[in-house]
Amino acid sequence: MLNIVLFGPPGSGKGTQAEKLIRKYGLIHMSTGDILREAISKKTPLGVRAKEYLDKGELVPDEDVVNMVIKKLDAEKDPNGFIFDGFPRTCGQARVLRNLLTDRNTRINVMIALEVQEEELINRLLKRGRESGRSDDQLSVIKNRIAVYERDTYPVIDFYQKMRKYRSVNGVGTVDEIFQRIVEVIDQMK
Ligand code: AMP
């Protein structure tokens, strides 16, 4: 199995690159943000609980997120692997993911972190907000999401660096340029 953590701040292009990677490598897209937005639109009990966190740009509690991940991991029969996009977002989630994968006789091969400066992130997210109407893409919420990233999520790099699985990729350029950089990293370690 090829399991990749695609990491980076909000607006770094994880979702866009994940879509291309799943096609190239035949992987399953594990986007906790997408699962949460679907639950919110269906008004499931999880969706109702999660909405207030998303609206403020706060993290949904680990327990809910981990349960979603377990459900999707176990729903797939004989997968080639997963792209984790937006998960893990805390060191606690990273430890749980390691244990979940160990229990399933697999592991994370690499963590790819997309590097983009804050000003560029804000511009990209404001543009996405205008185009898609995504409710958490407005300036005050964007700023909180970036602050939460720096406080709770950025330290996850250390977890993967200690295991020599962390690779940093320049996330500025065209979609195809960035994709090529990521593919190079994956193909080097395969
Ligand atoms: P995303 O689409 O990955 O930017 O996620 C959108 C929002 O969903 C985040 O701002 C959080 O409120 C919530 N969320 C997504 N993934 C996670 C996660 N792994 N842990 C906690 N909250 C999450």
Side-chain angles (χ1 to χ4, degrees), residues 111-141:
M111 181 236 229
I112 296 175
L114 294 172
E115 305 291 345
V116 180
Q117 294 311 309
E118 180 165 337
E119 198 185 331
E120 168 82 6
L121 296 174
I122 294 177
N123 288 336
R124 287 185 188 181
L125 292 168
L126 286 173
K127 181 163 179 275
R128 184 172 74 185
R130 284 193 298 273
E131 288 168 358
S132 72
R134 201 173 125 170
S135 60
D136 56 350
D137 285 341
Q138 46 173 301
L139 192 57
S140 58
V141 183

Side-chain angles (χ1 to χ4, degrees), residues 7-10 53-54 56-60 89-91 93 118 140-156:
F7 190 84
Y53 294 95
L54 270 87
K56 289 190 230 149
E58 296 290 327
L59 295 183
V60 172
R89 252 182 165 95
T90 62
C91 292
Q93 290 179 9
E118 180 165 337
S140 58
V141 183
I142 289 171
K143 287 199 165 153
N144 192 42
R145 285 159 63 204
I146 293 174
V148 167
Y149 169 81
E150 280 167 2
R151 190 191 62 210
D152 296 334
T153 306
Y154 186 78
V156 173

